[in-house]
């Protein structure tokens, strides 16, 4: 009670009448200001609300566009809509890439873990799978420092130079994918020696450039389906439509898929020329044969268990390894020649599947 009295005592005296009026006025102004403020902040809130609504609308548009993969019709082409549509197309692109990536990984695993006849039937019945697989495969290749197809190309060109044979080098590309190797080899041109002499004589004629140039390669490319590519012959590569003893270079570039790799090797043995003529070139992902991929020494030793086993099976399938290049961190490049033995019919070989990680 005493405290209350003391407090009451401390209260300032009431303002004189004039001051009271001023106080009233300033209170009114404050009220007005507050009213204005409130009105302003209400307007702001309204605007915010509107923006939120708009944003929500944008988001649902994006979602709709993403899910239906189609653009919503837009009445006005305002800047905002443009930004929104570019956002949504980026979103859609990312979504499609994810979908393509997971489809690729699914197909990839299936190709590695099923018999080639199963894969052949599936892809023949659904040829669109080939495109789906290769859309993902192309993305994968882009992330590699080296494309083994390019290494393969260089080694086949070097082989052709060594041979100095007048006839074309006949190449069979098993599991050719989009036939990039064939495209590159077939674009190579050489000028025949007789044409070179003729050219010397006709030096004055500047138009006579490479009329007698020719491609030193004949390439047969095989894959499960052709996808409309005239360079590709669709088949299961365990049985290719080529004559026995006709091929100079047989290639498997990342193509030893399926659980019956031994069948592919037997088929390569059948079509390759006898004697020193034929060479089998294999490029494979190191992790399929090795427990680690860090050993980068380039020698002829066989390395860890998986690779030893592979080379042993290759022997029984009629091939000796003549070159093992481990200089690439991701891939092994191997050359084989026929060792004179007939391939064993009993030999079986399945390498570890190459499972690509989600990036
Ligand atoms: N050699 C190509 C493609 C590698 S991807 C490159 O290096 O770019 C492996 C390819 O082998 C795929 O195109 C797949 O369709 C093909 N393939 C897998 N099993 C096959 C089989 N049994 N017969 C034919 N092609 C096969």
């Amino acid at each position: 009670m005493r405290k209350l009295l003391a407090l009451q005592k401390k209260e300032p005296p009431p303002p004189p009448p004039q001051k009271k009026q001023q106080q009233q006025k300033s209170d009114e102004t404050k009220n007005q200001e507050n009213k204005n403020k409130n009105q302003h902040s209400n307007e702001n809130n309204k605007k915010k609300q509107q923006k939120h609504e708009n944003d929500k609308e944008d988001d649902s548009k994006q979602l709709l566009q993403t899910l239906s993969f189609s653009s919503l019709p837009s009445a006005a082409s305002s800047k905002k809509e443009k930004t929104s549509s570019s956002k949504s197309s980026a979103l859609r692109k990312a979504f499609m890439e994810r979908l393509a990536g997971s489809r690729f990984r699914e197909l990839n695993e299936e190709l590695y873990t099923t018999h080639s006849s199963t894969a052949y039937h599936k892809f023949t019945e659904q040829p669109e799978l080939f495109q789906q697989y290769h859309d993902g495969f192309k993305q994968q290749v882009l992330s590699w420092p080296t494309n083994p197809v390019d290494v393969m190309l260089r080694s086949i060109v070097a082989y052709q130079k060594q041979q100095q044979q007048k006839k074309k080098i006949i190449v069979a590309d098993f599991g050719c994918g989009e036939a990039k190797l064939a495209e590159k080899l077939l674009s190579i041109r050489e000028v025949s020696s007789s044409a070179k002499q003729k050219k010397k004589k006709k030096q004055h004629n500047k138009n006579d450039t490479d009329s007698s140039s020719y491609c030193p390669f004949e390439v047969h490319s095989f894959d499960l389906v052709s996808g409309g590519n005239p360079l590709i012959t669709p088949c299961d590569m365990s049985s290719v439509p080529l004559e026995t003893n006709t091929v100079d270079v047989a290639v498997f570039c990342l193509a030893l898929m399926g659980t019956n790799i031994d069948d592919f090797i037997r088929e390569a043995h059948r079509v390759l020329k006898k004697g020193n003529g034929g060479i089998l070139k294999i490029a494979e992902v190191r992790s399929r044969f090795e427990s680690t991929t860090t050993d980068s020494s380039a020698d002829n030793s066989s390395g860890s268990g998986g690779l030893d086993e592979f080379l042993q099976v290759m022997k029984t399938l009629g091939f000796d390894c003549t070159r093992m290049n481990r200089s690439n961190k991701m891939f092994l490049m191997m050359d084989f020649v026929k060792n004179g033995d007939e391939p064993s019919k009993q030999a079986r070989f399945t390498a570890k599947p190459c499972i690509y990680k989600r990036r």
Side-chain angles (χ1 to χ4, degrees), residues 108-114 254-265 282-290 305-311 313-314 332 334 348-355:
N108 184 63
E109 191 166 346
E110 205 173 325
L111 284 173
Y112 275 115
T113 52
T114 50
L254 307 188
L256 293 179
M257 305 182 102
T259 50
N260 51 324
I261 290 176
D262 45 285
D263 286 337
F264 309 146
I265 303 296
I282 296 179
E284 260 309 331
V285 178
R286 292 179 73 140
S287 57
R288 298 195 68 201
F289 298 112
E290 295 177 335
L307 192 56
D308 271 343
E309 193 194 331
F310 178 63
L311 296 179
V313 173
M314 287 300 282
L332 285 174
M334 300 171 260
R348 297 277 172 269
F349 189 76
T350 304
K352 273 187 278 181
C354 167
I355 307 294

Side-chain angles (χ1 to χ4, degrees), residues 198-233:
K198 270 188 203 167
K199 211 177 162 189
K200 270 188 187 170
K201 284 181 195 166
K202 290 185 178 179
Q203 260 173 351
H204 61 279
N205 185 354
K206 283 187 181 159
N207 289 334
D208 184 29
T209 49
D210 64 348
S211 56
S212 8
S213 70
Y214 72 103
C215 175
F217 298 101
E218 178 181 313
V219 189
H220 301 273
S221 306
F222 305 106
D223 210 293
L224 295 168
V225 289
S226 74
N229 186 333
L231 291 174
I232 303 174
T233 304

Side-chain angles (χ1 to χ4, degrees), residues 72 132 220 249 320:
L72 285 178
Q132 288 175 13
H220 301 273
V249 186
D320 280 349

Side-chain angles (χ1 to χ4, degrees), residues 298-301 307 311 321 323-326 332-334:
D299 56 29
N300 279 321
S301 67
L307 192 56
L311 296 179
C321 182
R323 193 170 143 267
M324 167 79 65
N325 187 341
R326 299 167 166 219
L332 285 174
M333 308 291 298
M334 300 171 260

Side-chain angles (χ1 to χ4, degrees), residues 123-138:
F123 273 64
T124 306
E125 277 165 22
Q126 301 172 69
E128 69 277 10
L129 298 184
F130 182 79
Q131 197 53 50
Q132 288 175 13
Y133 179 79
H134 281 282
D135 284 349
F137 184 74
K138 264 185 278 190

Side-chain angles (χ1 to χ4, degrees), residues 64-108:
L64 264 171
Q65 285 181 353
T66 308
L67 294 177
S68 67
F69 314 138
S70 65
S71 306
L72 285 178
S74 60
S77 60
S78 67
K79 206 174 171 186
K80 195 171 176 191
E81 275 185 345
K82 270 185 194 163
T83 322
S84 150
S85 94
S86 75
K87 250 202 238 168
S88 88
S89 67
L91 214 72
R92 195 168 67 221
K93 199 171 159 244
F95 182 84
M96 293 304 281
E97 273 170 10
R98 282 209 148 190
L99 199 68
S102 65
R103 189 75 188 112
F104 159 69
R105 283 188 297 278
E106 200 181 307
L107 288 170
N108 184 63

Side-chain angles (χ1 to χ4, degrees), residues 92-192:
R92 195 168 67 221
K93 199 171 159 244
F95 182 84
M96 293 304 281
E97 273 170 10
R98 282 209 148 190
L99 199 68
S102 65
R103 189 75 188 112
F104 159 69
R105 283 188 297 278
E106 200 181 307
L107 288 170
N108 184 63
E109 191 166 346
E110 205 173 325
L111 284 173
Y112 275 115
T113 52
T114 50
H115 193 275
S116 68
S117 58
T118 312
Y120 177 63
H121 285 119
K122 183 165 179 165
F123 273 64
T124 306
E125 277 165 22
Q126 301 172 69
E128 69 277 10
L129 298 184
F130 182 79
Q131 197 53 50
Q132 288 175 13
Y133 179 79
H134 281 282
D135 284 349
F137 184 74
K138 264 185 278 190
Q139 288 303 313
Q140 202 64 43
V141 173
L142 285 177
S143 70
W144 298 336
T146 322
N147 184 348
V149 167
D150 295 328
V151 183
M152 200 55 98
L153 174 77
R154 285 196 292 274
S155 86
I156 295 173
V157 169
Y159 171 85
Q160 184 259 332
K161 295 248 181 298
Q162 272 171 19
Q163 299 303 300
Q164 290 179 335
Q165 75 178 49
K166 292 201 175 94
K167 285 187 198 159
K168 288 190 175 206
I169 297 284
I170 301 177
V171 179
D173 187 3
F174 289 75
C176 63
E178 293 185 316
K180 294 292 167 206
L181 186 63
E183 257 177 39
K184 290 176 184 188
L185 285 171
L186 294 174
S187 71
I188 294 174
R189 287 284 172 274
E190 267 191 5
V191 180
S192 67

